[in-house]
Amino acid sequence: MDITNFVTSQREKALLVGDYGSYRTSLSRRLLTVRKKLGRASLKGRKYAPKAPITADDIANNNEFIHLLLLVSERAWAHAMHMKSTHSAESTSQGITGSTRRHIVSRLHKASVIATHLVELLKDKKKTGAKPETILDARAYHVSLVGAVGFEKQKWEECVKAYSEARLIYTVLAQSLLPQQHDPYRDLLSGTIDPSIRYAAYQLKLPRTLSINSIVARYSPRADNEYVAEVLTIDPEALHEEATAEKKGLAGDAENQPQSITWRARTVNLEDATIAQALAAVSSAEHRLSSLLSSNPDLPSKGKASAYDEVLIPSQDAVDATKTAIEELSSEGVAPGDRRMQALQITRTAVNYGLVAWRIGRNRVLCGKVDGAVFEAEIPRQPKRHRADGKEWVGREEGDGKKLARLRERLVLYDATLQSLDSVKELPGVAADETFMKELEAKRAYFAALRCLSIARSHAVLSNTKNALALFSRALELASHIQSGLPTPSTLSNRPPSLDVTAKQAGSLYQLLQGLVSQYRALAELHNLTSNSATAEKNKLTGAAPLIETLDEYPQNGADLTNLVTYPPKLESIPVKPLFLDVAWNYIEYPGRTKQAIENGVNGMGQDVKATGEEKKEGRKGWFGFGR
């Protein structure tokens, strides 16, 4: 049985919709259901009678007894966390003291005792048939509760030892699983165990340069501990700091931590191990993101954006760790001009810029192809069921409402990007760097041009040609200032999209905007001509036909160049059968024909008609054969 997955899934489901109090309530309901199922619940209206303790034979017969013990332990843990969170929400100046702390410790101790009982039952492998991994999983859950008890009692060494053993077991267990199965272990380590180890190490006055792996290797119990011996059987080098540094962490984060960080040709050493560990996690996550995007070029934009979250999480951790380190030095009275403080300020600028860059990269991926410069119609989804008449479904064109909704989403992303760029200017040392400020302004102009382009497309959808032309012109003006501020070298083309803008991307955007400005300038001119003609016709200023229809007439007052053709074309009637001209051909004096020629033609026609009449005895009178 996977104990870690069971516990983390229970916590996640309840905490998504409520707090620890609701989690405790849901555990009580679930516990009652399991007890009824196992026949260990007190009947309604009956006096409570204690049940026999759970044995290894019970677990061998039904694994639900493991769930029963875990639910009881989790309910006690949830009760303690609820009291702790309620007291923190009151925001009192004093810490948790007196009866409240004793009550919290009592609940955590109860949870650890029940977890100890579960471990002792699972150790009987002959009866329970438990695997070594299951026993180690239960042991890790038990020592994590023991570490929580030591944390609340402020016994920091006991806390570090217990949490170190839990982290050691969870790390080794996760290495035998697939990467997609690491989420429960990652949540436990990043949410509870690692912060507790770091805080307890701070209380023990351990240097901040020590990484968590070094602390675990130092404080993990080795003598007379069968569980650590079992872990070393699975991974003999689990407690070797040198070997651990060469491996990958639980979530694939490289533990080969950087010793320095470079920002704008200035390098400083990383003296805080938490910052170094977070930066190592960022580097590893960036490598995985690059591999994912290069191997899946057709991945949807939402899938790419979710992959960016794996980079944003450790980036935010690095920012938080840097902020905490600066606050700690400030509380110790370190002057702002001190070497350590200056190094942390440079680190703060670098990690914050990295976080902003990845946020902007995620927004660029969500905007679509070419950073949203190209607006393509969405392909409608075909229904899975077939039509009743057996024909294929005909895809409908995307409506204007959906187009405007997609453009509105892009506009929100561009606004967030511009806001993030403005926040970079407030970082320490950025305003004094003129070259970097010029580069930031160029990148801001790039995204501002894309924002104007998106708004212009929405006006184009609504047939507001003049507004669209004005916005396209503004975007073209912004795009003309981009390339002058971008850095000359462009060696970051293989990296995932972030804050970097290449000259090729800026040139493509400029050419696209040039074409759109020319197109909508022509449309605006046609719109002006149409509106002028309509106004003149309405006010009866002119009734003349278009110039194309009066080419055989000489304009005495000059040609009206504003009335060349009828645009848009109107539906007009034209003669289909000129019947009168066909019948009266020989009776009309046309220019170029003499009267004699006309009379000869008439006489000749009369003779032909007479000859034809002699051949026929009877004939119909009148045109078209209808006579009277």
Side-chain angles (χ1 to χ4, degrees), residues 2 5 170 172-182 184-185:
D2 195 345
N5 279 331
Y170 280 135
V172 174
L173 289 178
Q175 289 177 359
S176 61
L177 301 176
L178 297 175
Q180 55 267 26
Q181 296 175 336
H182 289 175
Y185 299 93

Side-chain angles (χ1 to χ4, degrees), residues 352-428:
N352 276 279
Y353 181 79
L355 177 62
V356 169
W358 290 118
R359 283 178 179 172
I360 293 177
R362 184 179 183 274
N363 293 342
R364 294 175 70 176
V365 167
L366 285 174
C367 287
K369 297 180 180 179
V370 201
D371 297 332
V374 179
F375 187 70
E376 299 177 350
E378 285 189 345
I379 301 176
R381 295 182 180 179
Q382 296 291 342
K384 295 182 180 180
R385 60 184 180 86
H386 299 283
R387 291 179 52 172
D389 54 2
K391 297 181 180 180
E392 295 182 358
W393 292 97
V394 179
R396 295 182 179 180
E397 186 179 357
E398 187 181 11
D400 292 346
K402 291 185 177 179
K403 291 181 181 179
L404 292 174
R406 290 200 292 131
L407 290 170
R408 194 178 298 113
E409 292 176 358
R410 290 187 181 183
L411 186 62
V412 173
L413 293 173
Y414 292 138
D415 288 337
T417 299
L418 294 175
Q419 185 178 1
S420 299
L421 279 173
D422 292 337
S423 66
V424 174
K425 300 177 182 179
E426 301 175 1
L427 295 175

Side-chain angles (χ1 to χ4, degrees), residues 254-289:
E255 295 295 340
N256 191 8
Q257 301 175 2
Q259 302 298 323
S260 61
I261 186 171
T262 302
W263 168 252
R264 305 291 297 174
R266 186 171 181 180
T267 303
V268 295
N269 295 327
L270 294 174
E271 299 180 358
D272 196 311
T274 306
I275 302 175
Q277 186 177 6
L279 290 176
V282 172
S283 177
S284 179
E286 179 185 346
H287 178 71
R288 294 196 305 272
L289 178 62

